[in-house]
Amino acid sequence: MSARETILKRLRERADGALSAPESDFSVMTGRGWSPQERLARFEHWIGSVHGEVIHVAEDDWTGALTTLLVDKGVRRLALGKRHPVAAEARLALADAGVALVDVDRDIEQWQREQFENVDAGLTSTRGAIAETGSLWLWPTPDEPRLMSLVPPLHIAVLDAATLEDTFFDVMERHEWADGMPTNALLISGPSKTADIEQTLAYGVHGPRELVVIVRHATAADSHDTRPEA
Amino acid sequence: MSEQAPGVHTYHPREFHRQAHEALDNPQIRANFRKAMDGLMAKRCDSFDDWDLEALRELGANIRLRALARLPDLLEQLEANCEANGVRVHWAEDGDEACRIVREICESHGATSVIKGKSMVTEEMHLNDHLEEAGIEALESDLGEYLVQLNQQTPSHIIMPAIHLNTDEISRIMHDKTGIERTRDVDAMTAAARQQLRERFMAAGVGVSGVNFAVAETGTLCLVENEGNGRMTTTVPPVHVAVTGIEKVVEHLRDVPPLYSLLTRSATGQHVTTYFNMIGSPRKEGERDGPKEVHLVLVDGGRSDIYQDDELLDTLRCIRCGACMNHCPVYTRVGGHTYGTTYPGPIGSILSPHLMGLEETRDLPTASSLCGACGEVCPVKIPIPDLLVRLRQESVGEGRGNVAGAGVKRSRKELAAWKGFQWLATHPSAWRAGTSMAGKLRGLTPAKLGAWTRHRTAPKPASTTLHALVKQHQAARTDKEECR
Ligand code: SF4
């Protein structure tokens, strides 16, 4: 008998008899009912508490903020996609900004060392975020691969304020994750960190040392303003 | 197991008492644990502030129970969905078989170097030693595990492997083993480790990780971490091998958020970890990075034995948060190595007897004051104290006898003593005669009474028994009694 058969047989022929499965009540995971402002405030509080930086910008001017950020952080080589509107708009805006744009639409085998040693920042879009824990959620794509948010020392993530939701559970249910999961789904809440040396917090142990979230707010009268109340 | 380097301390559960004494005599160990555990307890408490903690624990327990109730079906469903996603599934009856599977995967790719993410089940099966014997180098990439490996030790905590070391000790280890300048600057040491390990991620032929939750419904493997080494391990090398105990499966994707909420808060008092990494498949056509092959190794290793018994089954609900150790007065004082097992603390004391047999682990169920703290903080409501008592019963042959090594502590002398006591206590005249005799002969009590007098003075029977005292007292009050 194979290991598989032996294990399954032992489990099925349980000495104390078959077990009955209880029903689950998930109400504690949902129903927060936060307003957009409350959601944003919570998101910012929690991601800030673990060293994530948040920049608020108007939707139609976000690339200006990106350019300033790149200068401030001294980024000379930025890895980014091509097709996603975030990447496409950034490419346009950065054409003459003196920042080298590093293409990521190459198989990693061709440029692993370059990515590990010679990229200052990775720019990615996000699918949304979670207010309760201050988490971004990303489903990497061929256009924005998995390692872009991990290997460079700075990760810049672009988030639309309107895509903030209350809890992880809500995100999963509303977007029907169970109907089709991608190759890799990620929650990211702050830069990489460790407390393995005598409980002292240190950032950037394996992944990025810094995470900056550019939160884009809908402009003009076409949508509700989600910026935090002054 | 491979040979230990000279001077490396090895621990064994059979030596629990001796090791506990050594640890108690080591002020450094005691200070390191005390400080860490106090901090962790406070942080855990704060992190549940906004929650109906009882409702959440109830849900967590219930999700784990449901998964166990359907375990064989869910394992088959997990296998089918993983295979459909392109993940290859292997089954192993024990640790040796699992090691062999991992080694063969490495060999089939000609891999001579493996990078590892934190995984307790691979510690349990001594994977690193096994691979090394086959000429494959296995390097731990979690910072704590890396430090412990450099120091030729094993983890002393399931969440914080290097918690027994302080900054000075770590500074010395990094200096001695990797040649960096001695420093007390934690950022500098972290940066050095980052640099050292990045090379290894790029060079590794295979990445080996554990799994926190395996979702049957979608065939998804979930990993919880802060450092990013888990993501590196599962994304950079061309092959990823995930190893998990068969009990880690959950039924639905929606079962994951409650367990994740409980895990991070219970473990380190964090509202969330930096990364929650959900792996669905190997690199697909057109994708640019990620492993081209993903394997899942399902390890039984004694779990299906635990599964047979209605009471012991609860052990398998564990989500390995470590809260029971953080809150255990015994663990806090003796530290993790003292237990001599992969899993220390209360969870180790209820799990290790099944993995290693009571013969080896006979003292672990007694390494508890039964204060109940572990059961109270356990996020999935495992009645740990009850299970400790059950294993004590098993060890003296008074249980159901279905734990390996049951009855190992059964002693004729002790049994006879209790039988005698039972007879005396149920025969009042014999009891009275015996106790008054003991009072008269109290001068003859030996000064040394084995283990009892090692830390205490020998008890002397009172010259007057409690019964006699009560009688005298009552006689003095006779008048009042008569007035009633
Ligand atoms: S027994 Fe409970 S408290 Fe201990 S590690 Fe497991 S889940 Fe956590």
Side-chain angles (χ1 to χ4, degrees):
Chain A
M1 223 175 4
S2 69
R4 178 184 187 278
E5 282 161 26
T6 312
I7 295 168
L8 288 172
K9 185 166 185 291
R10 284 181 57 75
L11 296 178
R12 291 224 158 89
E13 292 168 6
R14 189 172 178 276
D16 283 357
L19 294 155
S20 60
E23 289 297 310
S24 303
D25 173 6
F26 286 90
S27 51
V28 66
M29 301 308 297
T30 182
R32 301 289 182 268
W34 293 323
S35 69
Q37 283 80 6
E38 238 176 313
R39 233 177 257 150
L40 196 64
R42 279 176 195 270
F43 171 79
E44 197 168 345
H45 166 77
W46 285 116
I47 202 157
S49 74
V50 288
H51 228 70
E53 286 174 52
V54 174
I55 298 174
H56 295 279
V57 294
E59 194 176 48
D60 51 12
D61 186 33
W62 76 275
T63 50
L66 173 68
T67 314
T68 316
L69 176 71
L70 294 177
V71 172
D72 287 352
K73 301 279 182 192
V75 173
R76 281 166 305 140
R77 295 179 58 80
L78 176 72
L80 74 175
K82 284 180 180 162
R83 299 225 194 102
H84 192 282
V86 161
E89 288 169 34
R91 278 180 182 270
L92 269 181
L94 296 171
D96 306 310
V99 176
L101 303 182
V102 180
D103 295 342
V104 294
D105 57 348
R106 299 177 272 168
D107 287 343
I108 190 65
E109 288 75 13
Q110 295 164 20
W111 69 296
Q112 186 173 68
R113 189 160 286 278
E114 180 190 345
Q115 189 190 46
F116 268 66
E117 291 173 356
N118 214 5
V119 174
D120 301 320
L123 174 75
T124 72
S125 63
T126 57
R127 294 216 166 199
I130 297 162
E132 186 166 73
T133 51
S135 310
L136 304 165
W137 64 279
L138 278 73
W139 284 13
T141 60
D143 188 48
E144 293 182 340
R146 296 162 70 168
L147 291 171
M148 276 177 73
S149 59
L150 183 64
V151 172
L154 166 65
H155 175 203
I156 303 167
V158 179
L159 172 71
D160 286 315
T163 61
L164 249 174
E165 286 165 83
D166 291 350
T167 69
F168 183 21
F169 185 81
D170 291 341
V171 165
M172 210 176 237
E173 296 282 290
R174 200 154 309 144
H175 299 271
E176 295 168 339
W177 283 24
D179 291 347
M181 286 292 280
T183 302
N184 186 214
L186 293 167
L187 300 192
I188 298 180
S189 315
S192 149
K193 64 176 180 289
T194 184
D196 275 345
I197 303 183
E198 209 184 328
Q199 303 261 285
T200 308
L201 212 49
Y203 289 93
V205 55
H206 291 290
R209 286 190 190 94
E210 291 178 281
L211 168 69
V212 180
V213 185
I214 298 181
V215 182
R216 302 193 299 190
H217 297 264
T219 33
D222 63 316
S223 181
H224 50 275
D225 187 355
T226 45
R227 261 167 295 186
E229 283 152 307
Chain B
M1 272 220 271
S2 67
E3 264 186 36
Q4 292 282 353
V8 172
H9 202 131
T10 53
Y11 297 88
H12 197 279
R14 271 199 114 128
E15 298 291 316
F16 179 81
H17 284 289
R18 186 180 55 74
Q19 287 156 192
H21 275 284
E22 284 173 15
L24 289 169
D25 286 342
N26 183 334
Q28 190 64 71
I29 292 278
R30 292 189 64 170
N32 293 357
F33 277 95
R34 178 84 265 170
K35 183 179 161 208
M37 299 305 121
D38 283 350
L40 286 166
M41 284 192 284
K43 279 214 267 176
R44 171 191 170 274
C45 201
D46 291 347
S47 73
F48 282 113
D49 258 2
D50 288 346
W51 285 85
D52 179 349
L53 178 54
E54 274 324 293
L56 186 58
R57 285 175 76 219
E58 190 58 48
L59 175 58
N62 165 297
I63 288 169
R64 293 296 302 131
L65 261 174
R66 175 157 47 79
L68 292 173
R70 299 182 175 146
L71 187 57
D73 295 344
L74 294 185
L75 286 168
E76 280 185 321
Q77 193 190 358
L78 174 71
E79 178 187 43
N81 284 324
C82 283
E83 297 271 358
N85 294 343
V87 175
R88 294 175 46 192
V89 180
H90 311 258
W91 302 68
E93 273 186 70
D94 55 26
D96 289 343
E97 192 173 2
C99 283
R100 203 159 54 238
I101 292 167
V102 179
R103 172 172 50 80
E104 282 169 8
I105 296 170
C106 294
E107 284 169 348
S108 75
H109 290 274
T112 52
S113 131
V114 164
I115 194 89
K116 284 185 70 206
K118 212 173 123 32
S119 151
M120 289 313 292
V121 69
T122 61
E123 294 280 349
E124 179 188 319
M125 63 203 221
H126 305 295
L127 178 64
N128 294 5
D129 294 328
H130 181 96
L131 290 179
E132 240 134 78
E133 274 166 28
I136 301 165
E137 191 194 15
L139 189 75
E140 298 290 346
S141 65
D142 171 89
L143 182 60
E145 293 264 358
Y146 179 61
L147 293 167
V148 163
Q149 191 182 28
L150 284 178
N151 205 31
Q152 292 167 289
Q153 285 180 311
T154 53
S156 58
H157 190 286
I158 62 170
I159 300 288
M160 285 146 299
I163 199 87
H164 57 287
L165 300 169
N166 63 23
T167 307
D168 283 328
E169 291 166 311
I170 291 170
S171 162
R172 178 190 51 75
I173 294 164
M174 287 205 70
H175 170 75
D176 291 353
K177 307 283 178 172
T178 74
I180 67 161
E181 291 277 310
R182 275 206 76 149
T183 171
R184 296 200 80 250
D185 181 345
V186 172
D187 285 325
M189 285 190 273
T190 304
R194 173 190 174 103
Q195 205 52 45
Q196 292 157 6
L197 283 160
R198 284 206 151 200
E199 283 301 324
R200 310 301 289 265
F201 280 118
M202 285 193 274
V206 173
V208 173
S209 78
V211 174
N212 289 98
F213 317 113
V215 186
E217 176 182 39
T218 53
T220 306
L221 309 176
C222 305
L223 272 78
V224 176
E225 58 149 344
N226 282 309
E227 296 189 359
N229 69 306
R231 284 183 64 196
M232 288 277 196
T233 302
T234 58
T235 317
V236 177
V239 179
H240 168 211
V241 183
V243 186
T244 183
I246 53 172
E247 84 284 16
K248 288 285 184 78
V249 63
V250 295
E251 186 172 16
H252 298 299
L253 203 59
R254 67 200 319 238
D255 291 335
V256 166
L259 294 178
Y260 181 44
S261 297
L262 283 164
L263 176 59
T264 65
R265 291 178 174 83
S266 302
T268 50
Q270 289 178 273
H271 58 282
V272 71
T273 50
T274 301
Y275 300 115
F276 191 65
N277 181 10
M278 305 175 86
I279 294 161
S281 76
R283 188 192 308 192
K284 292 191 190 99
E285 185 70 30
E287 289 176 343
R288 299 302 188 174
D289 57 13
K292 290 187 170 153
E293 246 181 73
V294 178
H295 298 259
L296 174 65
V297 184
L298 297 167
V299 192
D300 181 339
R303 287 153 176 85
S304 63
D305 290 330
I306 307 176
Y307 190 73
Q308 305 298 315
D309 182 300
D310 277 344
E311 188 181 17
L312 302 173
L313 174 82
D314 288 339
T315 315
L316 298 176
R317 274 193 245 161
C318 176
I319 56 171
R320 305 279 189 267
C321 71
C324 54
M325 24 196 111
N326 301 348
H327 290 74
C328 178
V330 175
Y331 176 89
T332 302
R333 283 166 181 79
V334 302
H337 287 145
T338 295
Y339 294 80
T341 49
T342 303
Y343 305 94
I347 178 59
S349 298
I350 60 169
L351 183 59
S352 312
H354 303 291
L355 305 181
M356 307 171 77
L358 274 165
E359 187 96 27
E360 300 291 299
T361 58
R362 61 183 80 180
D363 290 326
L364 300 188
T366 66
S368 163
S369 64
L370 297 181
C371 71
C374 50
E376 231 166 84
V377 295
C378 176
V380 288
K381 301 180 87 162
I382 300 175
I384 304 172
D386 296 348
L387 290 168
L388 289 167
V389 171
R390 165 71 189 277
L391 289 167
R392 290 179 188 188
Q393 287 164 347
E394 294 290 348
S395 70
V396 295
E398 300 282 323
R400 292 177 60 188
N402 53 9
V403 180
V408 65
K409 281 183 107 173
R410 196 177 182 84
S411 126
R412 286 240 175 97
K413 252 170 47 190
E414 195 176 328
L415 202 65
W418 283 114
K419 281 262 153 68
F421 178 78
Q422 187 183 23
W423 186 85
L424 268 179
T426 48
H427 292 80
S429 45
W431 175 268
R432 276 194 288 273
T435 48
S436 88
M437 180 75 83
K440 291 197 180 97
L441 302 178
R442 59 196 292 267
L444 302 178
T445 325
K448 284 216 160 44
L449 289 171
W452 181 268
T453 45
R454 214 168 293 144
H455 303 289
R456 307 173 185 87
T457 49
K460 253 189 211 312
S463 57
T464 316
T465 66
L466 181 64
H467 261 135
L469 278 177
V470 171
K471 275 231 169 92
Q472 285 166 17
H473 187 68
Q474 277 174 338
R477 291 171 45 150
T478 312
D479 292 349
K480 283 186 190 169
E481 292 290 327
E482 278 173 353
C483 290
R484 271 196 189 165

